[in-house]
Amino acid sequence: MQLERWHQIKDLFSAALEHPTADRAAFLDRTCGNDIELLAQVHSLLDAHESSLGFIERPAIERAGLAPPFEPWDWQGRRLGNYRIVSELGRGGMSHVYKAVRDDDQYYKEVAIKLLRPGLDTQGLLQRLRDERQMLAELSHPNIAQLLDGGVTETGAPYLVMEYVEGQPIDEYCEERGLSIPARLDLMRTLCGAVHYVHQHLMVHGDLKGGNILVTQGGVLKLLDFGIAKLLNASSEASQALNNQFVALTPAYASPEQIRGEPITTASDVYSLGVLLYKLLAGTLPFEVPAELFGRDAAAASGDRQPRLPSIAAEQGKIASYRRIARQLRGDLDVIAMKALAREPEDRYGSAEHLAEDMHRYQRGFPVHAHPPRALYRTRKLVMRHKAATVASGLFAVAIVSGIVATAWQAHVASNERARAERHLAEIRKLTNTYLRDVYDAAVNLPGATEVRKLLVENSLKHIAALESESQDSLEFKRELAQAYQRFGDVQGDYLGANLGDTEGAVQSYRRALRLREQVAQQSPTLADVSELLRSYVSVSELLAAQSKLDEAIELAEDADDIGQKLAAMPGATAPEHRMAAAARMLLGTNLSTVDLPRALEALQSARATFERLFAEQPKNPGARRDMALIHSRLGFAYARAWQYEQALEHYLPASDYAERLVAEFPADAAALRGGAFALNNIGEVYNALGQPDQALSRLQLALERVEHLLRIDPVNEQASVAVAYVLNQLGDSYLLKGEPATALTHLNRALRLVTEAPPPKPTDIAEVRMLPGMTNFRLGKAHALLKHQREAATFLAASLTRLEPLTADPVVGKDAQRLTEEARQLLQSAS
């Protein structure tokens, strides 16, 4: 929008406010004449549909006087879907938020439900709420309030079901508990991490303030309310529409460009983070902007002047606790806050992550990037970090006074600092290498080791990341950091191993490892470094394919295959390098299985030839046998996806044979038990598809025993819980095929309990996890239909359609979902 146009709209809006509400429409009709767009913009401004709602906050639109207060919409006691509304939590310009509970006899859970306020069900605002739902659906972060569900009311208005957060605004939380500066900085760094995650998903929040950031009694921070969030990768048309759309932001926290009505960017969120940091440190806002001011009036409240330094604001403030800490803010904390609050976006921190990094550097006593890089400043920081060296520093100072040349002193300090950093780095490397290589490798396949692996990697990452700024582009450091991220990704969501169920977190960790290894391989294209780079390509591609993001997964797999062929051709390449090259080609074949079967089989057979050669050379090597089990499993998968079950069985059977030999040789190895269970389940699933349930049952029973054992000894392992529910589904299917629906129900009801107790599937979960609720409900409906339980059958079949229909377009499981939905509709028709 042109700035002049905005001023015209704003001035007309102000004039309209001078008229009684009943007379405004006639006034606008007279003033706007034939300018329909101008009329629509002012009406939109008068509607003032702010959605900057914390759960407990009175809406800014009412405080500003832009709309009269309204009476609560009486939803208490009513139901929306499976949720019963208990009480009102708050109101925004656009919406009400209610506390509700899920009490549908499956489980009890407190939630928050966001509904459009009455009278605002315009098409534009309905779309705004739908957009917010889509944005939240793409975010899965421990410090962001999670979207749990959604639906539409009887009148067709969408609503959001969100995680209920019982907490205080971050500034009130810090104030009430009298938190120390380090504790406040820890909370701010956590918040920066959540905001950076939002930015990585190509969104900006747009209304960061205390009321939208709650901290629970347990100290867990939660970022709320994406009501005015904006997509950064929107189309030009959509982006323009967003820019032209008025949002009732909070002026005291809004960046100068937001107040001027310009497009918001990630830099706008960085500014708001700076405002919040300023308030947590100084006890006051950098600029006190009255909530009723907008546009030019709000900008004029601060003008072009800079805010006082936080240390000065704290010292001159009325709150004694802040006056006492004012001296601690001088220097680094002052410059950090002021850099975040720079008027021009390009002068601020480049990202929320960079702001968090500078706060962390301050906490550890390192020079902060916001401070001018002067030698004396760096020397002072060094002395503060190493207080034991202050006596030596004093002696050097005397020497300087005696005439030692300043440049020699600076060189000496730099040399000492480098040497000290190198010694420190060497000590930490030794410790983390022990964690990441020796201890981790010893624990990785131990049953019940998921929590141990998580702690090992988290501690290693913490120590390594603390030294990142001192790495001086060290290749060795980048190798170690990449290894830490790779293994953390394995713990988070390696879907073939024990994991915490955080698939998207695993993708992000794998991507970090990949970026680091690309840098290393570019400078050091050795066999070892190229092999590790290939490992990262395979990990990212494999998990993206499991998430049904096939386009990017196939592209990465093709890149991996190219790298693999170059690796195998490098001088000195031996069996490990040839194995990695074959693994990359196997991945390419697997990813192509659902879109191009001939090309997939060609790649898989090529990989098989390499694995068979390596197995012939080392038949007693457990890794070679594991590769043989895996390649036959992937070939079986390719045929099964094409519903060519006889051919699939020809590969699933030998895959199971290889896997069982590993189980016999390593009975306490969790990976061997898991691989053996998966192989047995694959055979059982194919025999069911062929209508031979008796052949399936014995294998599925053994698979169930193994995955139940893994779940009992490792309850933190989310993959084990999913595996149990999945095998129970196949057992239920076998008994349905045998005509024993009552027996099928015993297994399927157990599967339903596991599915219900698990967090709701997210769009970023692997395809099998997203498919499991719909598949379970379908088979339960089918069992009840066979038992003539018409009401129960209709309930479960309808639930299965709700969960399966969105998956029919999925590139991985779409055909299976389509087949089940068609059968569910037929059964539902019969049941009714």
Side-chain angles (χ1 to χ4, degrees), residues 153-198:
T153 64
E154 297 170 356
T155 61
Y159 63 85
L160 309 180
V161 181
M162 299 172 290
E163 173 186 1
Y164 172 60
V165 181
E166 188 166 355
Q168 291 177 279
I170 184 173
D171 47 348
E172 294 179 16
Y173 179 89
C174 294
E175 182 75 32
E176 184 176 291
R177 287 161 178 75
L179 293 189
S180 65
I181 290 176
R184 295 177 189 225
L185 293 178
D186 285 342
L187 282 174
M188 278 300 302
R189 285 172 49 217
T190 299
L191 173 60
C192 286
V195 173
H196 185 64
Y197 175 84
V198 172

Short mmCIF file of all heavy atoms in Angstrom, two decimals, residues 153-198:
data_model
loop_
_atom_site.label_atom_id
_atom_site.label_comp_id
_atom_site.label_asym_id
_atom_site.label_seq_id
_atom_site.Cartn_x
_atom_site.Cartn_y
_atom_site.Cartn_z
N THR A 153 -18.24 -24.82 13.65
CA THR A 153 -19.45 -24.80 14.45
C THR A 153 -20.65 -25.12 13.58
O THR A 153 -20.54 -25.31 12.36
CB THR A 153 -19.63 -23.40 15.08
OG1 THR A 153 -19.84 -22.46 14.02
CG2 THR A 153 -18.41 -23.01 15.88
N GLU A 154 -21.83 -25.16 14.21
CA GLU A 154 -23.07 -25.44 13.47
C GLU A 154 -23.32 -24.40 12.39
O GLU A 154 -23.95 -24.68 11.38
CB GLU A 154 -24.25 -25.47 14.45
CG GLU A 154 -24.15 -26.58 15.48
CD GLU A 154 -25.21 -26.42 16.56
OE1 GLU A 154 -25.95 -25.41 16.52
OE2 GLU A 154 -25.29 -27.29 17.44
N THR A 155 -22.78 -23.18 12.60
CA THR A 155 -23.00 -22.11 11.61
C THR A 155 -21.89 -22.06 10.56
O THR A 155 -21.88 -21.16 9.72
CB THR A 155 -23.07 -20.75 12.32
OG1 THR A 155 -21.82 -20.52 12.99
CG2 THR A 155 -24.22 -20.72 13.31
N GLY A 156 -20.95 -22.99 10.64
CA GLY A 156 -19.89 -23.05 9.63
C GLY A 156 -18.66 -22.24 9.97
O GLY A 156 -17.74 -22.15 9.16
N ALA A 157 -18.59 -21.65 11.18
CA ALA A 157 -17.41 -20.87 11.57
C ALA A 157 -16.32 -21.81 12.08
O ALA A 157 -16.60 -22.69 12.89
CB ALA A 157 -17.78 -19.86 12.66
N PRO A 158 -15.09 -21.63 11.62
CA PRO A 158 -14.02 -22.52 12.09
C PRO A 158 -13.62 -22.20 13.53
O PRO A 158 -13.76 -21.08 14.00
CB PRO A 158 -12.87 -22.22 11.13
CG PRO A 158 -13.11 -20.83 10.68
CD PRO A 158 -14.60 -20.65 10.65
N TYR A 159 -13.13 -23.21 14.23
CA TYR A 159 -12.58 -23.00 15.57
C TYR A 159 -11.29 -23.80 15.70
O TYR A 159 -11.05 -24.77 14.98
CB TYR A 159 -13.58 -23.38 16.66
CG TYR A 159 -13.99 -24.84 16.69
CD1 TYR A 159 -13.22 -25.79 17.36
CD2 TYR A 159 -15.16 -25.27 16.06
CE1 TYR A 159 -13.59 -27.13 17.39
CE2 TYR A 159 -15.54 -26.61 16.08
CZ TYR A 159 -14.76 -27.53 16.75
OH TYR A 159 -15.12 -28.85 16.79
N LEU A 160 -10.45 -23.34 16.61
CA LEU A 160 -9.17 -23.98 16.87
C LEU A 160 -9.19 -24.59 18.26
O LEU A 160 -9.66 -23.97 19.21
CB LEU A 160 -8.02 -22.97 16.81
CG LEU A 160 -7.93 -22.07 15.57
CD1 LEU A 160 -6.73 -21.14 15.70
CD2 LEU A 160 -7.82 -22.90 14.32
N VAL A 161 -8.66 -25.80 18.38
CA VAL A 161 -8.49 -26.45 19.69
C VAL A 161 -6.99 -26.47 19.97
O VAL A 161 -6.23 -27.09 19.22
CB VAL A 161 -9.06 -27.87 19.71
CG1 VAL A 161 -8.87 -28.50 21.08
CG2 VAL A 161 -10.54 -27.86 19.32
N MET A 162 -6.58 -25.78 21.01
CA MET A 162 -5.16 -25.61 21.29
C MET A 162 -4.80 -26.17 22.66
O MET A 162 -5.66 -26.38 23.51
CB MET A 162 -4.79 -24.12 21.24
CG MET A 162 -5.03 -23.47 19.89
SD MET A 162 -4.79 -21.68 19.95
CE MET A 162 -6.19 -21.17 20.94
N GLU A 163 -3.53 -26.41 22.81
CA GLU A 163 -2.99 -26.79 24.11
C GLU A 163 -3.38 -25.73 25.13
O GLU A 163 -3.23 -24.53 24.89
CB GLU A 163 -1.47 -26.89 23.99
CG GLU A 163 -0.74 -27.12 25.28
CD GLU A 163 0.77 -27.07 25.08
OE1 GLU A 163 1.23 -26.83 23.94
OE2 GLU A 163 1.49 -27.25 26.08
N TYR A 164 -3.89 -26.15 26.28
CA TYR A 164 -4.25 -25.21 27.34
C TYR A 164 -3.00 -24.91 28.16
O TYR A 164 -2.37 -25.83 28.70
CB TYR A 164 -5.35 -25.77 28.23
CG TYR A 164 -5.63 -24.92 29.45
CD1 TYR A 164 -6.05 -23.61 29.31
CD2 TYR A 164 -5.47 -25.44 30.73
CE1 TYR A 164 -6.30 -22.83 30.42
CE2 TYR A 164 -5.74 -24.67 31.85
CZ TYR A 164 -6.16 -23.36 31.69
OH TYR A 164 -6.40 -22.59 32.79
N VAL A 165 -2.64 -23.66 28.23
CA VAL A 165 -1.44 -23.26 28.96
C VAL A 165 -1.88 -22.46 30.18
O VAL A 165 -2.48 -21.39 30.04
CB VAL A 165 -0.51 -22.41 28.08
CG1 VAL A 165 0.74 -22.02 28.86
CG2 VAL A 165 -0.14 -23.16 26.81
N GLU A 166 -1.57 -22.97 31.34
CA GLU A 166 -1.88 -22.25 32.57
C GLU A 166 -0.59 -21.63 33.08
O GLU A 166 0.31 -22.32 33.56
CB GLU A 166 -2.46 -23.20 33.62
CG GLU A 166 -2.98 -22.48 34.84
CD GLU A 166 -3.85 -23.36 35.72
OE1 GLU A 166 -4.13 -24.51 35.33
OE2 GLU A 166 -4.25 -22.90 36.80
N GLY A 167 -0.47 -20.34 32.89
CA GLY A 167 0.78 -19.68 33.26
C GLY A 167 0.61 -18.18 33.35
O GLY A 167 -0.49 -17.64 33.21
N GLN A 168 1.72 -17.50 33.57
CA GLN A 168 1.72 -16.04 33.68
C GLN A 168 2.49 -15.45 32.51
O GLN A 168 3.41 -16.07 31.99
CB GLN A 168 2.44 -15.61 34.97
CG GLN A 168 1.72 -15.95 36.26
CD GLN A 168 2.58 -15.54 37.44
OE1 GLN A 168 3.49 -16.27 37.82
NE2 GLN A 168 2.31 -14.37 38.02
N PRO A 169 2.13 -14.21 32.10
CA PRO A 169 2.97 -13.53 31.13
C PRO A 169 4.41 -13.48 31.62
O PRO A 169 4.67 -13.34 32.82
CB PRO A 169 2.35 -12.13 31.05
CG PRO A 169 0.91 -12.35 31.43
CD PRO A 169 0.94 -13.42 32.47
N ILE A 170 5.35 -13.58 30.71
CA ILE A 170 6.76 -13.73 31.07
C ILE A 170 7.25 -12.60 31.96
O ILE A 170 8.01 -12.83 32.91
CB ILE A 170 7.62 -13.86 29.80
CG1 ILE A 170 9.08 -14.11 30.16
CG2 ILE A 170 7.45 -12.67 28.88
CD1 ILE A 170 9.96 -14.43 28.96
N ASP A 171 6.80 -11.35 31.70
CA ASP A 171 7.28 -10.23 32.52
C ASP A 171 6.72 -10.32 33.94
O ASP A 171 7.45 -10.08 34.92
CB ASP A 171 6.93 -8.89 31.87
CG ASP A 171 5.49 -8.81 31.38
OD1 ASP A 171 4.81 -9.86 31.33
OD2 ASP A 171 5.04 -7.70 31.02
N GLU A 172 5.44 -10.72 34.07
CA GLU A 172 4.85 -10.88 35.40
C GLU A 172 5.52 -12.04 36.15
O GLU A 172 5.75 -11.97 37.36
CB GLU A 172 3.35 -11.13 35.29
CG GLU A 172 2.57 -9.94 34.75
CD GLU A 172 1.08 -10.25 34.64
OE1 GLU A 172 0.63 -11.24 35.25
OE2 GLU A 172 0.38 -9.50 33.93
N TYR A 173 5.81 -13.11 35.41
CA TYR A 173 6.46 -14.28 36.03
C TYR A 173 7.82 -13.89 36.61
O TYR A 173 8.15 -14.23 37.76
CB TYR A 173 6.62 -15.37 34.97
CG TYR A 173 7.29 -16.64 35.43
CD1 TYR A 173 6.55 -17.68 35.99
CD2 TYR A 173 8.66 -16.80 35.31
CE1 TYR A 173 7.17 -18.85 36.41
CE2 TYR A 173 9.30 -17.97 35.73
CZ TYR A 173 8.54 -18.99 36.28
OH TYR A 173 9.15 -20.14 36.70
N CYS A 174 8.61 -13.16 35.84
CA CYS A 174 9.93 -12.75 36.32
C CYS A 174 9.81 -11.79 37.50
O CYS A 174 10.57 -11.88 38.47
CB CYS A 174 10.71 -12.09 35.18
SG CYS A 174 11.14 -13.21 33.83
N GLU A 175 8.86 -10.86 37.40
CA GLU A 175 8.67 -9.85 38.44
C GLU A 175 8.25 -10.49 39.76
O GLU A 175 8.81 -10.21 40.83
CB GLU A 175 7.64 -8.83 37.98
CG GLU A 175 7.38 -7.70 38.95
CD GLU A 175 8.52 -6.69 38.93
OE1 GLU A 175 9.14 -6.49 37.89
OE2 GLU A 175 8.77 -6.11 40.00
N GLU A 176 7.25 -11.36 39.68
CA GLU A 176 6.70 -11.96 40.90
C GLU A 176 7.73 -12.81 41.64
O GLU A 176 7.78 -12.84 42.86
CB GLU A 176 5.48 -12.82 40.55
CG GLU A 176 4.77 -13.41 41.75
CD GLU A 176 3.53 -14.17 41.34
OE1 GLU A 176 2.56 -13.51 40.89
OE2 GLU A 176 3.53 -15.40 41.48
N ARG A 177 8.59 -13.49 40.89
CA ARG A 177 9.58 -14.39 41.51
C ARG A 177 10.91 -13.72 41.75
O ARG A 177 11.82 -14.33 42.32
CB ARG A 177 9.77 -15.64 40.63
CG ARG A 177 8.59 -16.57 40.69
CD ARG A 177 8.56 -17.53 39.53
NE ARG A 177 7.43 -18.46 39.64
CZ ARG A 177 6.17 -18.12 39.40
NH1 ARG A 177 5.89 -16.87 39.04
NH2 ARG A 177 5.20 -18.99 39.53
N GLY A 178 11.04 -12.46 41.33
CA GLY A 178 12.30 -11.77 41.52
C GLY A 178 13.46 -12.49 40.86
O GLY A 178 14.55 -12.61 41.45
N LEU A 179 13.27 -12.98 39.64
CA LEU A 179 14.29 -13.77 38.98
C LEU A 179 15.56 -12.96 38.75
O LEU A 179 15.52 -11.76 38.50
CB LEU A 179 13.79 -14.30 37.63
CG LEU A 179 12.65 -15.33 37.66
CD1 LEU A 179 12.44 -15.89 36.25
CD2 LEU A 179 12.93 -16.46 38.63
N SER A 180 16.68 -13.65 38.82
CA SER A 180 17.97 -13.03 38.58
C SER A 180 18.12 -12.70 37.09
O SER A 180 17.37 -13.20 36.25
CB SER A 180 19.10 -13.98 39.00
OG SER A 180 19.09 -15.14 38.17
N ILE A 181 19.11 -11.88 36.78
CA ILE A 181 19.37 -11.55 35.37
C ILE A 181 19.68 -12.80 34.56
O ILE A 181 19.12 -12.99 33.47
CB ILE A 181 20.51 -10.51 35.27
CG1 ILE A 181 20.02 -9.16 35.78
CG2 ILE A 181 20.98 -10.37 33.82
CD1 ILE A 181 21.09 -8.09 35.81
N PRO A 182 20.56 -13.71 35.03
CA PRO A 182 20.80 -14.93 34.24
C PRO A 182 19.54 -15.74 33.98
O PRO A 182 19.36 -16.28 32.88
CB PRO A 182 21.81 -15.71 35.10
CG PRO A 182 22.52 -14.67 35.90
CD PRO A 182 21.48 -13.63 36.20
N ALA A 183 18.65 -15.84 34.98
CA ALA A 183 17.43 -16.60 34.80
C ALA A 183 16.52 -15.93 33.77
O ALA A 183 15.88 -16.61 32.95
CB ALA A 183 16.69 -16.75 36.13
N ARG A 184 16.48 -14.61 33.77
CA ARG A 184 15.67 -13.89 32.77
C ARG A 184 16.27 -14.07 31.37
O ARG A 184 15.53 -14.24 30.39
CB ARG A 184 15.59 -12.41 33.13
CG ARG A 184 14.84 -12.17 34.44
CD ARG A 184 14.80 -10.71 34.85
NE ARG A 184 14.25 -10.60 36.19
CZ ARG A 184 13.33 -9.70 36.58
NH1 ARG A 184 12.86 -8.85 35.70
NH2 ARG A 184 12.88 -9.69 37.81
N LEU A 185 17.58 -14.04 31.28
CA LEU A 185 18.21 -14.26 29.98
C LEU A 185 17.98 -15.67 29.49
O LEU A 185 17.81 -15.89 28.28
CB LEU A 185 19.71 -13.97 30.08
CG LEU A 185 20.10 -12.52 30.35
CD1 LEU A 185 21.62 -12.39 30.47
CD2 LEU A 185 19.58 -11.59 29.26
N ASP A 186 17.95 -16.65 30.40
CA ASP A 186 17.66 -18.03 29.99
C ASP A 186 16.27 -18.12 29.37
O ASP A 186 16.07 -18.79 28.35
CB ASP A 186 17.76 -18.97 31.19
CG ASP A 186 19.20 -19.26 31.60
OD1 ASP A 186 20.10 -19.02 30.77
OD2 ASP A 186 19.41 -19.71 32.74
N LEU A 187 15.29 -17.45 29.99
CA LEU A 187 13.94 -17.46 29.43
C LEU A 187 13.91 -16.77 28.07
O LEU A 187 13.26 -17.25 27.13
CB LEU A 187 12.96 -16.76 30.39
CG LEU A 187 12.49 -17.57 31.59
CD1 LEU A 187 11.65 -16.69 32.52
CD2 LEU A 187 11.68 -18.79 31.16
N MET A 188 14.62 -15.66 27.96
CA MET A 188 14.65 -14.95 26.67
C MET A 188 15.32 -15.80 25.59
O MET A 188 14.88 -15.81 24.44
CB MET A 188 15.41 -13.63 26.81
CG MET A 188 14.59 -12.49 27.39
SD MET A 188 13.14 -12.05 26.39
CE MET A 188 13.90 -11.65 24.81
N ARG A 189 16.37 -16.53 25.95
CA ARG A 189 17.02 -17.39 24.96
C ARG A 189 16.09 -18.51 24.51
O ARG A 189 16.06 -18.88 23.33
CB ARG A 189 18.32 -17.97 25.54
CG ARG A 189 19.44 -16.94 25.62
CD ARG A 189 20.65 -17.46 26.38
NE ARG A 189 21.02 -18.78 25.91
CZ ARG A 189 21.47 -19.76 26.69
NH1 ARG A 189 21.58 -19.58 28.00
NH2 ARG A 189 21.79 -20.93 26.18
N THR A 190 15.32 -19.04 25.45
CA THR A 190 14.33 -20.06 25.10
C THR A 190 13.30 -19.48 24.14
O THR A 190 12.93 -20.11 23.14
CB THR A 190 13.64 -20.59 26.36
OG1 THR A 190 14.62 -21.18 27.22
CG2 THR A 190 12.58 -21.64 26.00
N LEU A 191 12.84 -18.28 24.44
CA LEU A 191 11.86 -17.61 23.57
C LEU A 191 12.46 -17.37 22.18
O LEU A 191 11.81 -17.60 21.16
CB LEU A 191 11.42 -16.29 24.20
CG LEU A 191 10.52 -15.40 23.34
CD1 LEU A 191 9.23 -16.11 22.98
CD2 LEU A 191 10.24 -14.09 24.07
N CYS A 192 13.70 -16.92 22.14
CA CYS A 192 14.36 -16.69 20.85
C CYS A 192 14.42 -17.98 20.04
O CYS A 192 14.25 -17.97 18.81
CB CYS A 192 15.77 -16.15 21.05
SG CYS A 192 15.83 -14.42 21.58
N GLY A 193 14.66 -19.11 20.73
CA GLY A 193 14.69 -20.39 20.03
C GLY A 193 13.35 -20.72 19.39
O GLY A 193 13.29 -21.20 18.25
N ALA A 194 12.25 -20.45 20.12
CA ALA A 194 10.92 -20.71 19.58
C ALA A 194 10.62 -19.78 18.40
O ALA A 194 10.07 -20.21 17.37
CB ALA A 194 9.86 -20.54 20.67
N VAL A 195 11.00 -18.51 18.53
CA VAL A 195 10.75 -17.54 17.45
C VAL A 195 11.59 -17.90 16.22
O VAL A 195 11.12 -17.83 15.09
CB VAL A 195 11.05 -16.11 17.93
CG1 VAL A 195 10.98 -15.11 16.77
CG2 VAL A 195 10.07 -15.72 19.03
N HIS A 196 12.84 -18.31 16.45
CA HIS A 196 13.69 -18.71 15.32
C HIS A 196 13.09 -19.92 14.60
O HIS A 196 13.13 -20.01 13.38
CB HIS A 196 15.09 -19.03 15.82
CG HIS A 196 16.07 -19.35 14.73
ND1 HIS A 196 16.44 -18.44 13.76
CD2 HIS A 196 16.74 -20.50 14.42
CE1 HIS A 196 17.29 -19.00 12.93
NE2 HIS A 196 17.49 -20.25 13.29
N TYR A 197 12.50 -20.84 15.37
CA TYR A 197 11.84 -22.00 14.77
C TYR A 197 10.68 -21.54 13.88
O TYR A 197 10.49 -22.05 12.78
CB TYR A 197 11.33 -22.92 15.88
CG TYR A 197 10.52 -24.11 15.41
CD1 TYR A 197 11.14 -25.27 14.99
CD2 TYR A 197 9.13 -24.06 15.40
CE1 TYR A 197 10.40 -26.37 14.57
CE2 TYR A 197 8.38 -25.15 14.98
CZ TYR A 197 9.03 -26.30 14.56
OH TYR A 197 8.29 -27.37 14.14
N VAL A 198 9.91 -20.56 14.35
CA VAL A 198 8.82 -20.00 13.54
C VAL A 198 9.38 -19.41 12.25
O VAL A 198 8.86 -19.65 11.15
CB VAL A 198 8.06 -18.92 14.34
CG1 VAL A 198 7.06 -18.19 13.45
CG2 VAL A 198 7.33 -19.55 15.53
#
